[in-house]
Amino acid sequence: MMNNSDDDIKRYLKQQSQELDSMLGDGLTDYLKLGFASNFSGIMKLGYAIAIALSGALFYCGYQFFIAPDEDQVFWGVLLIVSFNAQVATKLWIFMQTNRNMLSKEMRVMEVRQRAWFEERVLKERVLK
C-alpha cells in the first residue's frame, strides 16, 4: 500500500513540475510579466522606471568618463560604478519580486491540489473499508 502512495506522489509531483514549466511560458518576457500579476504592480512599474533611468545614467557616466579630461576621470568613473551598482540592485529587486509572486501563486495552487488529493485518498480509503 505504501508503494502505491509513493507512486501517486511521484506522478503528482511530475505533473506539478510540468505545469510549472508551462507557467514560465516562452521565455524571460513571460516570466517578467508575472511580476505585474499582484497587488504591487505599481511598485513594479516604478522599479522598471528606475532601472531605465539608471541605464541612461550609466551610459551618460560612461560617455563622460571617456571624454573627460584626466583630472575629471576619477569623478566620472566613480559615478559610473555607483550607477552600475544601483542598476544591478534594482534589477535584483525586480527579479526577487517576480520570484516571490510566482512562488506564492504556485504555493496556492499546490495547496489546493494537495487538499483535493488528500480528500480523494480519504474517499478511496472509505470506499475500500
Side-chain angles (χ1 to χ4, degrees), residues 15-41:
Q15 176 189 4
Q16 290 295 318
S17 176
Q18 289 171 348
E19 289 181 11
L20 181 61
D21 290 342
S22 69
M23 277 178 57
L24 291 177
D26 293 329
L28 184 63
T29 55
D30 288 337
Y31 172 73
L32 290 175
K33 286 179 187 176
L34 289 174
F36 293 104
S38 72
N39 296 335
F40 299 109
S41 65

PDB file of all heavy atoms in Angstrom, residues 15-41:
ATOM      1  N   GLN A  15       3.567  15.928 -12.512  1.00  0.00           N
ATOM      2  CA  GLN A  15       2.541  16.756 -13.143  1.00  0.00           C
ATOM      3  C   GLN A  15       2.696  18.217 -12.714  1.00  0.00           C
ATOM      4  O   GLN A  15       2.594  19.124 -13.535  1.00  0.00           O
ATOM      5  CB  GLN A  15       1.147  16.247 -12.755  1.00  0.00           C
ATOM      6  CG  GLN A  15       0.020  17.102 -13.281  1.00  0.00           C
ATOM      7  CD  GLN A  15      -1.320  16.680 -12.697  1.00  0.00           C
ATOM      8  OE1 GLN A  15      -1.404  15.803 -11.855  1.00  0.00           O
ATOM      9  NE2 GLN A  15      -2.371  17.327 -13.144  1.00  0.00           N
ATOM     10  N   GLN A  16       2.965  18.439 -11.427  1.00  0.00           N
ATOM     11  CA  GLN A  16       3.171  19.801 -10.936  1.00  0.00           C
ATOM     12  C   GLN A  16       4.373  20.458 -11.600  1.00  0.00           C
ATOM     13  O   GLN A  16       4.341  21.632 -11.943  1.00  0.00           O
ATOM     14  CB  GLN A  16       3.370  19.787  -9.413  1.00  0.00           C
ATOM     15  CG  GLN A  16       2.136  19.452  -8.643  1.00  0.00           C
ATOM     16  CD  GLN A  16       1.069  20.502  -8.817  1.00  0.00           C
ATOM     17  OE1 GLN A  16       1.355  21.693  -8.807  1.00  0.00           O
ATOM     18  NE2 GLN A  16      -0.152  20.073  -9.017  1.00  0.00           N
ATOM     19  N   SER A  17       5.430  19.686 -11.789  1.00  0.00           N
ATOM     20  CA  SER A  17       6.633  20.216 -12.437  1.00  0.00           C
ATOM     21  C   SER A  17       6.345  20.613 -13.879  1.00  0.00           C
ATOM     22  O   SER A  17       6.795  21.659 -14.350  1.00  0.00           O
ATOM     23  CB  SER A  17       7.743  19.177 -12.381  1.00  0.00           C
ATOM     24  OG  SER A  17       8.866  19.627 -13.076  1.00  0.00           O
ATOM     25  N   GLN A  18       5.571  19.805 -14.580  1.00  0.00           N
ATOM     26  CA  GLN A  18       5.223  20.128 -15.963  1.00  0.00           C
ATOM     27  C   GLN A  18       4.349  21.379 -16.020  1.00  0.00           C
ATOM     28  O   GLN A  18       4.515  22.212 -16.907  1.00  0.00           O
ATOM     29  CB  GLN A  18       4.510  18.954 -16.614  1.00  0.00           C
ATOM     30  CG  GLN A  18       5.415  17.777 -16.883  1.00  0.00           C
ATOM     31  CD  GLN A  18       4.645  16.543 -17.334  1.00  0.00           C
ATOM     32  OE1 GLN A  18       3.421  16.485 -17.250  1.00  0.00           O
ATOM     33  NE2 GLN A  18       5.380  15.540 -17.814  1.00  0.00           N
ATOM     34  N   GLU A  19       3.435  21.527 -15.084  1.00  0.00           N
ATOM     35  CA  GLU A  19       2.583  22.716 -15.073  1.00  0.00           C
ATOM     36  C   GLU A  19       3.389  23.966 -14.728  1.00  0.00           C
ATOM     37  O   GLU A  19       3.119  25.046 -15.250  1.00  0.00           O
ATOM     38  CB  GLU A  19       1.431  22.516 -14.105  1.00  0.00           C
ATOM     39  CG  GLU A  19       0.418  21.518 -14.620  1.00  0.00           C
ATOM     40  CD  GLU A  19      -0.742  21.330 -13.673  1.00  0.00           C
ATOM     41  OE1 GLU A  19      -0.870  22.116 -12.716  1.00  0.00           O
ATOM     42  OE2 GLU A  19      -1.514  20.397 -13.905  1.00  0.00           O
ATOM     43  N   LEU A  20       4.378  23.824 -13.862  1.00  0.00           N
ATOM     44  CA  LEU A  20       5.243  24.961 -13.545  1.00  0.00           C
ATOM     45  C   LEU A  20       6.040  25.379 -14.769  1.00  0.00           C
ATOM     46  O   LEU A  20       6.185  26.570 -15.057  1.00  0.00           O
ATOM     47  CB  LEU A  20       6.179  24.608 -12.397  1.00  0.00           C
ATOM     48  CG  LEU A  20       7.134  25.704 -11.934  1.00  0.00           C
ATOM     49  CD1 LEU A  20       6.356  26.908 -11.445  1.00  0.00           C
ATOM     50  CD2 LEU A  20       8.042  25.184 -10.849  1.00  0.00           C
ATOM     51  N   ASP A  21       6.531  24.405 -15.525  1.00  0.00           N
ATOM     52  CA  ASP A  21       7.253  24.722 -16.752  1.00  0.00           C
ATOM     53  C   ASP A  21       6.348  25.440 -17.744  1.00  0.00           C
ATOM     54  O   ASP A  21       6.773  26.360 -18.429  1.00  0.00           O
ATOM     55  CB  ASP A  21       7.816  23.452 -17.394  1.00  0.00           C
ATOM     56  CG  ASP A  21       8.958  22.860 -16.589  1.00  0.00           C
ATOM     57  OD1 ASP A  21       9.537  23.589 -15.755  1.00  0.00           O
ATOM     58  OD2 ASP A  21       9.261  21.665 -16.793  1.00  0.00           O
ATOM     59  N   SER A  22       5.084  25.026 -17.823  1.00  0.00           N
ATOM     60  CA  SER A  22       4.165  25.703 -18.745  1.00  0.00           C
ATOM     61  C   SER A  22       3.831  27.108 -18.250  1.00  0.00           C
ATOM     62  O   SER A  22       3.555  27.998 -19.050  1.00  0.00           O
ATOM     63  CB  SER A  22       2.892  24.882 -18.933  1.00  0.00           C
ATOM     64  OG  SER A  22       2.116  24.881 -17.753  1.00  0.00           O
ATOM     65  N   MET A  23       3.868  27.332 -16.929  1.00  0.00           N
ATOM     66  CA  MET A  23       3.618  28.678 -16.387  1.00  0.00           C
ATOM     67  C   MET A  23       4.716  29.640 -16.795  1.00  0.00           C
ATOM     68  O   MET A  23       4.474  30.828 -16.986  1.00  0.00           O
ATOM     69  CB  MET A  23       3.539  28.637 -14.865  1.00  0.00           C
ATOM     70  CG  MET A  23       2.209  28.233 -14.313  1.00  0.00           C
ATOM     71  SD  MET A  23       2.212  28.162 -12.521  1.00  0.00           S
ATOM     72  CE  MET A  23       2.713  29.792 -12.081  1.00  0.00           C
ATOM     73  N   LEU A  24       5.934  29.133 -16.913  1.00  0.00           N
ATOM     74  CA  LEU A  24       7.042  30.002 -17.278  1.00  0.00           C
ATOM     75  C   LEU A  24       6.926  30.503 -18.699  1.00  0.00           C
ATOM     76  O   LEU A  24       7.506  31.519 -19.051  1.00  0.00           O
ATOM     77  CB  LEU A  24       8.375  29.281 -17.065  1.00  0.00           C
ATOM     78  CG  LEU A  24       8.749  29.032 -15.617  1.00  0.00           C
ATOM     79  CD1 LEU A  24      10.039  28.246 -15.528  1.00  0.00           C
ATOM     80  CD2 LEU A  24       8.871  30.325 -14.848  1.00  0.00           C
ATOM     81  N   GLY A  25       6.184  29.787 -19.527  1.00  0.00           N
ATOM     82  CA  GLY A  25       5.925  30.262 -20.876  1.00  0.00           C
ATOM     83  C   GLY A  25       7.116  30.132 -21.796  1.00  0.00           C
ATOM     84  O   GLY A  25       7.936  29.231 -21.674  1.00  0.00           O
ATOM     85  N   ASP A  26       7.208  31.092 -22.729  1.00  0.00           N
ATOM     86  CA  ASP A  26       8.204  31.007 -23.789  1.00  0.00           C
ATOM     87  C   ASP A  26       9.575  31.542 -23.390  1.00  0.00           C
ATOM     88  O   ASP A  26      10.542  31.272 -24.053  1.00  0.00           O
ATOM     89  CB  ASP A  26       7.716  31.763 -25.026  1.00  0.00           C
ATOM     90  CG  ASP A  26       6.510  31.091 -25.643  1.00  0.00           C
ATOM     91  OD1 ASP A  26       6.418  29.854 -25.530  1.00  0.00           O
ATOM     92  OD2 ASP A  26       5.676  31.801 -26.230  1.00  0.00           O
ATOM     93  N   GLY A  27       9.660  32.316 -22.366  1.00  0.00           N
ATOM     94  CA  GLY A  27      10.974  32.840 -22.040  1.00  0.00           C
ATOM     95  C   GLY A  27      10.951  33.885 -20.954  1.00  0.00           C
ATOM     96  O   GLY A  27      10.039  33.937 -20.121  1.00  0.00           O
ATOM     97  N   LEU A  28      11.957  34.733 -20.997  1.00  0.00           N
ATOM     98  CA  LEU A  28      12.175  35.720 -19.957  1.00  0.00           C
ATOM     99  C   LEU A  28      11.060  36.762 -19.899  1.00  0.00           C
ATOM    100  O   LEU A  28      10.659  37.187 -18.818  1.00  0.00           O
ATOM    101  CB  LEU A  28      13.533  36.400 -20.180  1.00  0.00           C
ATOM    102  CG  LEU A  28      13.976  37.401 -19.139  1.00  0.00           C
ATOM    103  CD1 LEU A  28      14.159  36.720 -17.795  1.00  0.00           C
ATOM    104  CD2 LEU A  28      15.261  38.068 -19.568  1.00  0.00           C
ATOM    105  N   THR A  29      10.531  37.167 -21.046  1.00  0.00           N
ATOM    106  CA  THR A  29       9.490  38.196 -21.032  1.00  0.00           C
ATOM    107  C   THR A  29       8.226  37.692 -20.348  1.00  0.00           C
ATOM    108  O   THR A  29       7.601  38.432 -19.583  1.00  0.00           O
ATOM    109  CB  THR A  29       9.171  38.678 -22.455  1.00  0.00           C
ATOM    110  OG1 THR A  29       8.817  37.558 -23.259  1.00  0.00           O
ATOM    111  CG2 THR A  29      10.358  39.397 -23.067  1.00  0.00           C
ATOM    112  N   ASP A  30       7.851  36.439 -20.611  1.00  0.00           N
ATOM    113  CA  ASP A  30       6.670  35.894 -19.933  1.00  0.00           C
ATOM    114  C   ASP A  30       6.917  35.771 -18.432  1.00  0.00           C
ATOM    115  O   ASP A  30       6.019  35.997 -17.626  1.00  0.00           O
ATOM    116  CB  ASP A  30       6.305  34.530 -20.509  1.00  0.00           C
ATOM    117  CG  ASP A  30       5.712  34.625 -21.902  1.00  0.00           C
ATOM    118  OD1 ASP A  30       5.187  35.712 -22.243  1.00  0.00           O
ATOM    119  OD2 ASP A  30       5.779  33.644 -22.644  1.00  0.00           O
ATOM    120  N   TYR A  31       8.125  35.407 -18.078  1.00  0.00           N
ATOM    121  CA  TYR A  31       8.484  35.299 -16.668  1.00  0.00           C
ATOM    122  C   TYR A  31       8.399  36.664 -15.979  1.00  0.00           C
ATOM    123  O   TYR A  31       7.856  36.784 -14.890  1.00  0.00           O
ATOM    124  CB  TYR A  31       9.892  34.710 -16.545  1.00  0.00           C
ATOM    125  CG  TYR A  31      10.447  34.733 -15.154  1.00  0.00           C
ATOM    126  CD1 TYR A  31       9.970  33.865 -14.195  1.00  0.00           C
ATOM    127  CD2 TYR A  31      11.444  35.636 -14.807  1.00  0.00           C
ATOM    128  CE1 TYR A  31      10.480  33.889 -12.904  1.00  0.00           C
ATOM    129  CE2 TYR A  31      11.958  35.665 -13.529  1.00  0.00           C
ATOM    130  CZ  TYR A  31      11.474  34.786 -12.582  1.00  0.00           C
ATOM    131  OH  TYR A  31      11.968  34.816 -11.321  1.00  0.00           O
ATOM    132  N   LEU A  32       8.920  37.697 -16.619  1.00  0.00           N
ATOM    133  CA  LEU A  32       8.915  39.024 -16.011  1.00  0.00           C
ATOM    134  C   LEU A  32       7.509  39.613 -15.937  1.00  0.00           C
ATOM    135  O   LEU A  32       7.237  40.457 -15.077  1.00  0.00           O
ATOM    136  CB  LEU A  32       9.859  39.957 -16.763  1.00  0.00           C
ATOM    137  CG  LEU A  32      11.344  39.643 -16.592  1.00  0.00           C
ATOM    138  CD1 LEU A  32      12.182  40.552 -17.473  1.00  0.00           C
ATOM    139  CD2 LEU A  32      11.769  39.751 -15.147  1.00  0.00           C
ATOM    140  N   LYS A  33       6.617  39.184 -16.815  1.00  0.00           N
ATOM    141  CA  LYS A  33       5.231  39.651 -16.752  1.00  0.00           C
ATOM    142  C   LYS A  33       4.534  39.173 -15.488  1.00  0.00           C
ATOM    143  O   LYS A  33       3.578  39.790 -15.028  1.00  0.00           O
ATOM    144  CB  LYS A  33       4.454  39.182 -17.978  1.00  0.00           C
ATOM    145  CG  LYS A  33       4.805  39.932 -19.237  1.00  0.00           C
ATOM    146  CD  LYS A  33       4.021  39.399 -20.420  1.00  0.00           C
ATOM    147  CE  LYS A  33       4.503  40.026 -21.713  1.00  0.00           C
ATOM    148  NZ  LYS A  33       3.815  39.444 -22.884  1.00  0.00           N
ATOM    149  N   LEU A  34       5.011  38.055 -14.915  1.00  0.00           N
ATOM    150  CA  LEU A  34       4.419  37.560 -13.674  1.00  0.00           C
ATOM    151  C   LEU A  34       4.606  38.548 -12.526  1.00  0.00           C
ATOM    152  O   LEU A  34       3.841  38.535 -11.569  1.00  0.00           O
ATOM    153  CB  LEU A  34       5.043  36.208 -13.292  1.00  0.00           C
ATOM    154  CG  LEU A  34       4.672  35.014 -14.154  1.00  0.00           C
ATOM    155  CD1 LEU A  34       5.486  33.798 -13.743  1.00  0.00           C
ATOM    156  CD2 LEU A  34       3.198  34.717 -14.051  1.00  0.00           C
ATOM    157  N   GLY A  35       5.617  39.397 -12.605  1.00  0.00           N
ATOM    158  CA  GLY A  35       5.844  40.393 -11.566  1.00  0.00           C
ATOM    159  C   GLY A  35       4.727  41.416 -11.479  1.00  0.00           C
ATOM    160  O   GLY A  35       4.494  42.011 -10.425  1.00  0.00           O
ATOM    161  N   PHE A  36       4.013  41.611 -12.564  1.00  0.00           N
ATOM    162  CA  PHE A  36       2.920  42.581 -12.588  1.00  0.00           C
ATOM    163  C   PHE A  36       1.584  41.967 -12.190  1.00  0.00           C
ATOM    164  O   PHE A  36       0.589  42.663 -12.126  1.00  0.00           O
ATOM    165  CB  PHE A  36       2.793  43.198 -13.984  1.00  0.00           C
ATOM    166  CG  PHE A  36       3.970  44.054 -14.355  1.00  0.00           C
ATOM    167  CD1 PHE A  36       4.921  43.601 -15.241  1.00  0.00           C
ATOM    168  CD2 PHE A  36       4.126  45.304 -13.801  1.00  0.00           C
ATOM    169  CE1 PHE A  36       6.006  44.380 -15.577  1.00  0.00           C
ATOM    170  CE2 PHE A  36       5.205  46.099 -14.122  1.00  0.00           C
ATOM    171  CZ  PHE A  36       6.148  45.632 -15.017  1.00  0.00           C
ATOM    172  N   ALA A  37       1.562  40.671 -11.918  1.00  0.00           N
ATOM    173  CA  ALA A  37       0.321  39.968 -11.605  1.00  0.00           C
ATOM    174  C   ALA A  37       0.074  39.940 -10.104  1.00  0.00           C
ATOM    175  O   ALA A  37      -0.251  38.909  -9.543  1.00  0.00           O
ATOM    176  CB  ALA A  37       0.370  38.556 -12.174  1.00  0.00           C
ATOM    177  N   SER A  38       0.235  41.061  -9.432  1.00  0.00           N
ATOM    178  CA  SER A  38      -0.011  41.115  -7.995  1.00  0.00           C
ATOM    179  C   SER A  38      -0.583  42.484  -7.638  1.00  0.00           C
ATOM    180  O   SER A  38      -0.807  43.327  -8.504  1.00  0.00           O
ATOM    181  CB  SER A  38       1.287  40.858  -7.229  1.00  0.00           C
ATOM    182  OG  SER A  38       2.141  41.977  -7.348  1.00  0.00           O
ATOM    183  N   ASN A  39      -0.773  42.681  -6.351  1.00  0.00           N
ATOM    184  CA  ASN A  39      -1.284  43.971  -5.880  1.00  0.00           C
ATOM    185  C   ASN A  39      -0.228  45.065  -5.939  1.00  0.00           C
ATOM    186  O   ASN A  39      -0.540  46.233  -5.793  1.00  0.00           O
ATOM    187  CB  ASN A  39      -1.786  43.831  -4.435  1.00  0.00           C
ATOM    188  CG  ASN A  39      -2.961  42.893  -4.339  1.00  0.00           C
ATOM    189  OD1 ASN A  39      -3.690  42.702  -5.305  1.00  0.00           O
ATOM    190  ND2 ASN A  39      -3.150  42.293  -3.181  1.00  0.00           N
ATOM    191  N   PHE A  40       1.030  44.682  -6.138  1.00  0.00           N
ATOM    192  CA  PHE A  40       2.131  45.635  -6.139  1.00  0.00           C
ATOM    193  C   PHE A  40       2.609  45.963  -7.552  1.00  0.00           C
ATOM    194  O   PHE A  40       3.781  46.270  -7.747  1.00  0.00           O
ATOM    195  CB  PHE A  40       3.300  45.082  -5.321  1.00  0.00           C
ATOM    196  CG  PHE A  40       2.939  44.830  -3.893  1.00  0.00           C
ATOM    197  CD1 PHE A  40       2.828  43.541  -3.413  1.00  0.00           C
ATOM    198  CD2 PHE A  40       2.687  45.883  -3.037  1.00  0.00           C
ATOM    199  CE1 PHE A  40       2.490  43.301  -2.102  1.00  0.00           C
ATOM    200  CE2 PHE A  40       2.353  45.655  -1.712  1.00  0.00           C
ATOM    201  CZ  PHE A  40       2.250  44.358  -1.247  1.00  0.00           C
ATOM    202  N   SER A  41       1.729  45.923  -8.521  1.00  0.00           N
ATOM    203  CA  SER A  41       2.153  46.187  -9.899  1.00  0.00           C
ATOM    204  C   SER A  41       2.626  47.630 -10.071  1.00  0.00           C
ATOM    205  O   SER A  41       3.501  47.907 -10.895  1.00  0.00           O
ATOM    206  CB  SER A  41       1.037  45.860 -10.879  1.00  0.00           C
ATOM    207  OG  SER A  41      -0.077  46.712 -10.685  1.00  0.00           O
TER     208      SER A  41
END
